[in-house]
Amino acid sequence: MITYLIRRLVLMVPTLFGIMVVNFVIIQFAPGGPVESMIAQIQGIGGDATERFAGGGREQLDPTAASRDTATPYRGAQGLDPELIARIERMYGFDKPAHVRFFDMMGRYLVFDFGESFFSDRRVVDLVLDKLPVSISLGLWTTLLVYLISIPLGVAKAVRDGSPFDVWTSGVVVVGNAIPGFLFAILLIILFAGGRYFDWFPLQGITSPDWRELGWSGRIVDYLWHMVLPVLSMVIGGFAGLVMLTKNSFLDQINQQYVLTARAKGLHQRRVLYGHVFRNAMLIVIAGFPAAFIGILFTGALLTEVIFSLDGLGLLGFEAAINRDYPVMFATLYFFTLLGLIMNIIGDFTMTVVDPRIDFEHRNV
């Protein structure tokens, strides 16, 4: 297993590099950018914005911090002083060739120096750390509840395949899968957050304004109270696929010859199911855990964060894309991709824990 882990860690380098290259190249052809945005502000605002550059402004604060990340230098801006345009490009680092900007960016990322946001004048690391508690809360609770619901339900459906229980639970699963999470979130607000009927749960944030003044038990209750509706809205749409995956995986294993042999020996149904079938059937479920966790944690909560006014990573990434805040975009892409690759390795390791017969040492990675 050690040799396999070393190979996977080594392969992470070209994989991560390739993902960054592809996204960097795509950005070069995307319209708009921070330079264009700033020029539009100058053209729209006039004197105040122009004086910002005429007097040095942000460029004097950190002339090297402008060597950030990405996009083709602006080539329009008719009617503006070319020297002013050049200063804007230099401030954002677009006075350098694309390949130089890319390797400068990757060199800083190797030591986890993600630079500063173009538009918030804050370090990207600080921005991410501020938003991380919200996304971790949503991701962990949603993933935990999805697996706690889906696996037992999928096993029960497989054991009772074709029974009335299997039929009506399938109907519930189909309805849950058909309702978009954001639509269910709106329904929960209308029903339970003062929208029309009951005012039982808060509408925004993950804690109350006076959270720090509460005792430890009060803080825990307040935090869980705020998490109920957003997590529930994400769980409804997330468990359907895993339920059916678990059921089909168990059905496939139940019909295998080794299960028939175990039953012929007189083993109890529960021992056959959890002593033999469970480990084999769970492999495919465990293999999909890293992708599911990353998806829920960083990409699946955008609309939920917007609806419940939760300032998390999903909302941060969306705003960075809209504002062309390239340091935030590329830093979060780098970090999340690296985390996703590590989670895949953890998933492989977990598979060996569930079934020690799996030997990655003799497989080609």
Side-chain angles (χ1 to χ4, degrees):
M1 189 66 182
I2 300 299
T3 304
Y4 171 76
L5 290 177
I6 293 175
R7 290 203 306 264
R8 288 294 301 269
L9 290 173
V10 171
L11 285 174
M12 283 175 54
V13 177
T15 302
L16 182 59
F17 184 82
I19 292 173
M20 297 300 296
V21 168
V22 170
N23 284 272
F24 186 90
V25 171
I26 292 175
I27 288 296
Q28 306 310 303
F29 297 99
V35 174
E36 290 91 329
S37 177
M38 183 56 64
I39 289 176
Q41 291 183 37
I42 292 175
Q43 291 175 328
I45 298 175
D48 293 340
T50 305
E51 290 175 3
R52 173 184 178 186
F53 294 96
R58 174 180 170 181
E59 186 178 9
Q60 288 189 348
L61 294 177
D62 187 5
T64 60
S67 302
R68 299 311 185 208
D69 313 308
T70 73
T72 305
Y74 185 71
R75 304 185 185 281
Q78 296 180 357
L80 291 182
D81 185 356
E83 182 179 351
L84 175 61
I85 298 174
R87 295 191 66 177
I88 297 174
E89 292 177 350
R90 188 165 57 253
M91 185 186 76
Y92 289 119
F94 296 145
D95 57 327
K96 299 179 181 179
H99 68 280
V100 174
R101 297 197 307 274
F102 176 77
F103 285 107
D104 285 347
M105 178 185 72
M106 293 303 297
R108 289 185 285 105
Y109 285 7
L110 287 176
V111 294
F112 294 96
D113 176 12
F114 297 118
E116 296 183 2
S117 168
F118 281 158
F119 297 103
S120 65
D121 290 328
R122 295 185 60 194
R123 293 181 9 173
V124 175
V125 172
D126 295 335
L127 283 174
V128 172
L129 291 178
D130 284 348
K131 318 294 183 181
L132 201 56
V134 173
S135 294
I136 288 180
S137 296
L138 290 175
L140 287 181
W141 285 115
T142 301
T143 305
L144 178 64
L145 291 177
V146 164
Y147 271 77
L148 287 177
I149 295 172
S150 301
I151 293 177
L153 182 57
V155 173
K157 287 173 64 62
V159 173
R160 300 171 177 83
D161 184 41
S163 67
F165 172 82
D166 182 40
V167 173
W168 71 261
T169 53
S170 295
V172 174
V173 168
V174 170
V175 171
N177 191 45
I179 300 177
F182 73 91
L183 188 60
F184 193 75
I186 296 174
L187 177 62
L188 291 176
I189 290 175
I190 294 175
L191 293 177
F192 303 113
R196 175 170 295 183
Y197 299 99
F198 305 102
D199 190 8
W200 292 348
F201 297 96
L203 185 58
Q204 61 183 5
I206 61 173
T207 57
S208 299
D210 60 345
W211 183 79
R212 295 186 180 277
E213 301 175 4
L214 302 175
W216 284 108
S217 59
R219 292 184 182 185
I220 294 174
V221 171
D222 182 76
Y223 165 75
L224 295 176
W225 180 48
H226 281 76
M227 284 288 101
V228 169
L229 294 188
V231 169
L232 183 59
S233 68
M234 295 178 65
V235 168
I236 291 297
F239 79 97
L242 187 58
V243 168
M244 301 310 298
L245 177 64
T246 304
K247 175 189 174 182
N248 294 333
S249 180
F250 269 79
L251 283 177
D252 179 67
Q253 292 298 318
I254 287 174
N255 295 323
Q256 296 293 326
Q257 183 63 44
Y258 74 92
V259 177
L260 299 177
T261 302
R263 286 173 174 171
K265 290 181 179 180
L267 295 180
H268 191 272
Q269 173 72 6
R270 180 174 295 273
R271 183 173 180 184
V272 172
L273 187 62
Y274 293 102
H276 297 275
V277 176
F278 186 80
R279 289 195 298 180
N280 294 329
M282 285 302 296
L283 292 178
I284 189 172
V285 177
I286 292 174
F289 174 79
F293 177 75
I294 295 298
I296 292 175
L297 186 58
F298 299 119
T299 62
L302 171 58
L303 292 176
T304 301
E305 291 180 7
V306 173
I307 293 172
F308 288 98
S309 300
L310 302 175
D311 194 9
L313 292 175
L315 188 58
L316 175 66
F318 175 75
E319 292 176 346
I322 294 298
N323 296 325
R324 299 297 193 271
D325 198 342
Y326 295 125
V328 175
M329 291 172 58
F330 279 92
T332 52
L333 173 66
Y334 178 88
F335 176 75
F336 298 154
T337 302
L338 180 62
L339 182 60
L341 294 172
I342 294 174
M343 288 298 297
N344 282 324
I345 296 177
I346 294 175
D348 290 344
F349 177 75
T350 307
M351 290 175 66
T352 63
V353 173
V354 175
D355 190 349
R357 295 172 299 175
I358 296 177
D359 184 10
F360 289 107
E361 295 286 353
H362 298 90
R363 290 182 53 197
N364 293 325
V365 180

